[in-house]
């Protein structure tokens, strides 16, 4: 039985509590938030659950692990405290506010043989795993272009811009599905409401072999959109995360360049219109898989899918995007994480 505590019971934390409570071989022991009104709500939602306002209370010896769902700037100090105390740590996305902080956490986890996992939730959805399976099978051909849109109205963050808030999801999905890292990143964005906190941004990731990915993030769009398009050399895939039953559609559509043509009419024949089909997805709650995966990694001593390195990969891309924002969209080269030989994520056996 892995005994776990959750720190941060705002918007997201109660979802983690609910899922850890439903995870087998896991005991959800204690919830922590600095604000008493948040704890009141948690006690109403989960009667009998022990609560505290002090995160230090979770350093006690009978807890194996903590999950951190607090604002981004608190991730690093909290995660460091608990790793140093010998606890396995799950941290909500983004892992930290800098790659240096990520590297430090990865190093501590490695030295202590502990699991460090980041909440890249979409890597645990049935839809994203189906997309990965389809891309890996080669059905779409070579991926030429990805277009990701993650926009809504609000929830404005006070301490981070829209790239730090929303793009971790797009970036983690793209890196997971394509299985590769960009070679350069550029971004443009604007702050309309709070000076220095961009509320709209467009980020471009360039990969080797001319694959390109565009990410559009915004807190000021009238509608919530969560969509991605993967254009392959053979077929195209459209992913709409807001659709209840038809999240993925595959278009057997493309443009084939004719060997020659005499007029525009003939050129048009080079468009290929084929079938559109909707693959079946075995739906499940992503957070349930994610929480189960954390507990399983602790108990089996395995490296989680979204480990510290995965968190670092995303942060390095976000840092490059933010550097580009400050330099009016200049392309910032990104060194592949696989070249960083000194860092490997550590895992440990069950406590
Ligand atoms: N995976 C996802 O899809 C997803 C979705 C939403 C939010 N998140 C992430 O979850 C984290 C929290 O976001 P949120 O929207 O719930 O924020 P929030 O502001 O609603 O809640 C954060 C809570 O943490 C508490 N807190 C802060 N410092 C603390 C400390 N030292 N000890 C105890 N409690 C402390 C605050 O009192 C607050 O109640 C962020 O990292 C965010 O990116 C992830």
């Amino acid at each position: 039985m892995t005994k776990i505590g959750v720190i941060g019971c705002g918007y997201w934390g109660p979802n983690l509590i609910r899922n850890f409570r439903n995870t087998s071989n896991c005991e959800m022991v204690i919830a922590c938030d600095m604000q008493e009104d948040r704890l009141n709500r948690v006690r109403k939602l989960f009667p009998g659950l022990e609560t505290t306002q002090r995160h230090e209370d979770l350093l006690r010896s009978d807890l194996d692990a903590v999950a951190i769902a607090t604002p981004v700037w608190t991730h690093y100090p909290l995660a460091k405290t608990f790793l140093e105390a010998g606890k396995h740590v799950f941290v909500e996305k983004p892992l930290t506010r800098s790659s240096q902080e990520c590297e430090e956490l990865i190093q501590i986890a490695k030295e202590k043989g502990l699991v460090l996992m980041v909440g890249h939730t979409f890597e645990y959805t049935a839809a994203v795993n189906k997309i990965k399976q389809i891309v890996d099978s080669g059905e779409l051909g070579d991926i030429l272009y990805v277009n990701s849109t993650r926009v809504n109205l609000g929830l404005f963050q006070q301490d981070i811009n829209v790239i730090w808030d929303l793009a971790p999801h797009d970036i983690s999905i793209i890196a997971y599905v394509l299985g590769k890292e960009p070679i350069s990143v550029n971004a443009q964005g604007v702050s309309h409401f709070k000076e220095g906190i961009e509320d709209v941004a467009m980020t471009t990731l360039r990969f080797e072999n001319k694959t390109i990915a565009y990410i559009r993030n915004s807190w000021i769009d009238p509608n919530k959109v969560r969509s991605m398009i993967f254009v392959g050399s053979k077929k195209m895939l459209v992913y709409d995360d807001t659709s209840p039953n038809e999240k993925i559609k595959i278009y057997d559509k493309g443009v084939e360049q004719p060997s020659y043509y005499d007029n525009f009419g003939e050129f048009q024949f080079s468009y290929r219109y084929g079938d559109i089909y909707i693959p079946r997805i075995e739906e499940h709650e992503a957070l349930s898989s994610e929480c189960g995966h954390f507990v399983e990694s602790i108990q089996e001593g395995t490296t989680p899918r979204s480990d510290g390195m995965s968190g670092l990969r995303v942060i390095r891309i976000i840092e490059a995007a933010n550097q580009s924002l400050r330099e009016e969209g200049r392309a910032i080269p990104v060194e592949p994480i696989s070249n960083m030989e000194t860092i490997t994520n550590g895992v440990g056996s069950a406590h």
Side-chain angles (χ1 to χ4, degrees), residues 7-13 32-35 38 53 55 68-72 74-75 78 92-94 119 121-122 157 165 169 290:
I7 307 173
C9 304
Y11 165 65
W12 197 245
C32 167
D33 200 292
M34 293 160 81
Q35 301 181 56
R38 303 285 171 112
Q53 283 182 275
H55 73 258
I68 298 169
T70 52
V72 179
T74 65
H75 289 181
L78 285 171
E92 260 313 326
K93 61 83 198 164
T121 316
F122 281 88
Q157 303 289 327
D165 184 36
H169 288 313
E290 191 179 50

Side-chain angles (χ1 to χ4, degrees), residues 55-335:
H55 73 258
E56 294 86 353
D57 291 346
L58 278 69
L59 290 166
R60 63 199 222 187
S61 60
D62 67 329
L63 276 193
D64 301 302
V66 293
I68 298 169
T70 52
V72 179
W73 63 272
T74 65
H75 289 181
Y76 164 74
L78 285 171
K80 187 174 176 192
T81 300
F82 284 92
L83 285 171
E84 282 178 340
K87 310 290 183 201
H88 302 285
V89 173
F90 171 97
V91 188
E92 260 313 326
K93 61 83 198 164
L95 180 51
T96 62
R97 281 199 308 180
S98 75
S99 48
Q100 201 187 339
E101 291 176 348
C102 284
E103 287 170 25
E104 210 184 309
L105 296 183
I106 291 168
Q107 200 58 39
I108 301 170
K110 183 185 171 193
E111 281 164 16
K112 299 227 168 216
L114 295 164
V115 172
L116 171 63
M117 175 165 157
V118 59
H120 290 165
T121 316
F122 281 88
E123 292 181 34
Y124 299 88
T125 61
V128 168
N129 280 288
K130 187 75 185 178
I131 295 169
K132 179 160 178 61
Q133 191 191 327
I134 291 165
V135 168
D136 286 350
S137 76
E139 183 179 348
L140 306 184
D142 296 329
I143 300 300
L144 308 176
Y145 151 75
V146 182
N147 191 347
S148 189
T149 306
R150 192 170 302 270
V151 301
N152 48 252
L153 193 56
L155 310 153
F156 280 79
Q157 303 289 327
Q158 295 305 312
D159 55 339
I160 50 169
N161 67 16
V162 74
I163 295 183
W164 279 100
D165 184 36
L166 297 180
H169 288 313
D170 308 280
I171 295 168
S172 71
I173 296 171
I174 292 168
Y176 177 56
V177 168
L178 300 188
K180 54 185 180 182
E181 297 172 46
I183 50 174
S184 76
V185 176
N186 64 283
Q188 289 188 312
V190 182
S191 24
H192 296 95
F193 292 96
K194 189 169 178 199
E195 191 55 36
I197 307 268
E198 288 80 6
D199 40 58
V200 177
M202 181 84 177
T203 305
T204 306
L205 314 184
R206 285 177 190 274
F207 297 82
E208 266 164 3
N209 300 327
K210 296 206 283 191
T211 304
I212 193 160
Y214 295 108
I215 302 170
R216 187 163 75 84
N217 297 125
S218 154
W219 289 322
I220 57 168
D221 269 51
N223 296 318
K224 178 172 175 170
V225 181
R226 302 281 185 264
S227 80
M228 297 182 89
I229 300 169
F230 292 82
V231 174
S233 55
K234 294 183 191 158
K235 294 183 187 175
M236 301 170 179
L237 184 151
V238 176
Y239 164 38
D240 178 0
D241 191 58
T242 59
S243 168
N245 305 316
E246 302 180 355
K247 286 199 187 318
I248 299 176
K249 288 184 184 153
I250 296 182
Y251 292 74
D252 186 8
K253 231 177 180 185
V255 181
E256 278 151 17
Q257 213 168 358
S259 46
Y260 67 90
Y261 52 88
D262 293 332
N263 54 49
F264 185 68
E266 277 183 29
F267 174 72
Q268 293 219 324
F269 284 117
S270 63
Y271 287 94
R272 178 170 50 75
Y273 296 100
D275 292 336
I276 301 170
Y277 81 92
I278 299 165
R280 206 169 84 82
I281 301 172
E282 301 280 351
E283 281 292 356
H284 55 76
E285 190 179 350
L287 258 189
S288 156
S289 306
E290 191 179 50
C291 293
H293 187 65
F294 179 53
V295 170
E296 196 181 278
S297 303
I298 293 170
Q299 294 181 350
E300 295 183 3
T302 47
T303 304
R305 180 184 306 163
S306 51
D307 62 355
M309 293 294 274
S310 166
L312 174 61
R313 187 177 296 119
V314 168
I315 298 300
R316 282 160 54 82
I317 295 168
I318 292 178
E319 280 179 337
N322 277 281
Q323 185 185 339
S324 177
L325 273 184
R326 309 281 164 256
E327 298 181 27
E328 296 181 356
R330 181 173 77 83
I332 309 296
V334 185
E335 196 198 337

